[in-house]
Amino acid sequence: MKRILTCLLALTMLLSCAAYAASNGDFVRVCGCEEYVTLREQPSTGAARIMQIPLGAQVIYKGPAGNGFTKVYFGGYDGYVLSKYLSRLDPMTGEEYNVPMYVANCNKYISQRSEPAIDMEVLQRIPLGAEVMSYGRVGEFLQENPMEEVHYQGKNGSLRGYALSRYLCFLPPETDSCALLSATLRRNDDSGHLIAQTITDPALLREIEGMIRRAEPGEIGKCPMDALLELKLANGNTLRFTYPTDGCTSMIAENASVYCLPSADGTRVWEIFDAVKPW
């Protein structure tokens, strides 16, 4: 029975990955495959391979290409991926991708607003340390007060609204125990094959935890985003970030929000993950 359920789940993920609607420049996700999909030079399974894109990685949608392929941008390259392995929706839920985030960097609470602007109606207050589900940043990052679209179950009910990005963190409130159980970084080697390194050392995990807490809202720039950073949390959650391999410190969360590490932390990441360092 367990094997049957596992197979049915895998089939559901594959089927639900096939349908999505995206606009040019949107982020879409690789899903429905076992480990990776192939980025090709032309929209054909016989075309030359550029690289492998890991399961869960985000790519930038460039439009339909015919022959069952979609044109995408990933890792500094334009190329083509089979459309059935791309989706804007989470194959497990059929809903938009969202990630758990926590209210931080405030005194007591933050305001959840009806629209993505600080002068709009306050729907409810969300206390310091509370968990929300973030659907990603809205509007242009360069606006004065970037906001995230969030869902929160509070005294006023289950509401979806907007909160300032600077008051949200990917990790729960800090305690004496490390928030992370493991950290894995995967990337393509020079031959286009996936390589990975997993960190379980408590001291190193504490360092990585500190980096994530220091990350701030940012922009993707022109960084080659061809690595995947996966963090398993002690509370059972898993965080995944598409990560650059050129020393850039921008990283893209599963809800397509871009966050940046301080430059010193970006250097330290590759000192920790030295087995997969690209240079």
Side-chain angles (χ1 to χ4, degrees):
M1 177 61 72
K2 182 177 180 181
R3 182 174 181 179
I4 292 174
L5 291 175
T6 300
C7 292
L8 287 174
L9 177 59
L11 180 60
T12 299
M13 290 179 68
L14 180 59
L15 291 176
S16 60
C17 191
Y20 68 93
S23 301
N24 192 10
D26 283 352
F27 286 107
V28 294
R29 188 174 312 283
V30 172
C31 60
C33 59
E34 291 188 2
E35 294 182 4
Y36 61 84
V37 296
T38 300
L39 182 69
R40 297 187 183 277
E41 292 183 355
Q42 299 295 330
S44 168
T45 55
R49 182 184 66 191
I50 298 174
M51 64 173 59
Q52 296 170 341
I53 306 177
L55 174 66
Q58 294 182 100
V59 301
I60 297 177
Y61 178 84
K62 302 294 286 289
N67 201 26
F69 279 81
T70 295
K71 186 175 182 180
V72 302
Y73 174 87
F74 180 78
Y77 295 92
D78 285 325
Y80 301 87
V81 170
L82 283 167
S83 302
K84 66 182 180 180
Y85 295 128
L86 299 173
S87 180
R88 291 190 67 195
L89 303 179
D90 186 336
M92 297 295 292
T93 66
E95 299 179 353
E96 301 162 75
Y97 276 96
N98 58 74
V99 295
M101 297 189 77
Y102 301 86
V103 175
N105 309 316
C106 66
N107 291 326
K108 294 182 178 179
Y109 60 82
I110 62 173
S111 296
Q112 183 186 35
R113 298 185 182 273
S114 60
E115 299 293 337
I118 59 174
D119 57 351
M120 299 304 292
E121 175 192 1
V122 175
L123 300 177
Q124 60 185 338
R125 292 175 174 177
I126 308 177
L128 176 66
E131 179 178 324
V132 301
M133 300 307 298
S134 170
Y135 291 87
R137 194 168 307 126
V138 295
E140 295 293 330
F141 169 71
L142 292 178
Q143 68 186 27
E144 184 177 356
N145 295 293
M147 304 187 83
E148 305 259 343
E149 186 172 3
V150 299
H151 175 271
Y152 178 66
Q153 175 74 48
K155 292 182 179 179
N156 292 352
S158 180
L159 300 177
R160 188 160 166 172
Y162 302 88
L164 286 166
S165 299
R166 64 174 178 264
Y167 292 136
L168 299 175
C169 178
F170 289 103
L171 298 178
E174 194 168 4
T175 66
D176 292 337
S177 300
C178 184
L180 305 180
L181 295 179
S182 68
T184 300
L185 190 62
R186 301 179 178 89
R187 73 168 186 87
N188 297 287
D189 64 15
D190 293 338
S191 300
H193 296 104
L194 286 175
I195 55 176
Q197 181 179 359
T198 297
I199 302 298
T200 57
D201 177 82
L204 293 178
L205 289 176
R206 268 295 197 184
E207 281 195 63
I208 297 170
E209 176 185 354
M211 296 176 189
I212 300 302
R213 293 191 186 282
R214 289 188 289 271
E216 296 183 349
E219 296 180 279
I220 186 173
K222 296 183 179 180
C223 306
M225 309 296 287
D226 57 353
L228 187 69
L229 177 63
E230 182 177 273
L231 307 175
K232 293 190 180 299
L233 276 59
N235 65 5
N237 291 334
T238 299
L239 292 173
R240 297 180 183 88
F241 299 94
T242 304
Y243 198 81
T245 54
D246 66 342
C248 175
T249 63
S250 300
M251 57 186 190
I252 310 170
E254 287 190 282
N255 61 2
S257 290
V258 179
Y259 279 75
C260 295
L261 303 177
S263 58
D265 287 347
T267 299
R268 182 59 180 150
V269 166
W270 293 110
E271 292 175 349
I272 294 174
F273 291 97
D274 57 339
V276 295
K277 188 176 180 178
W279 59 83

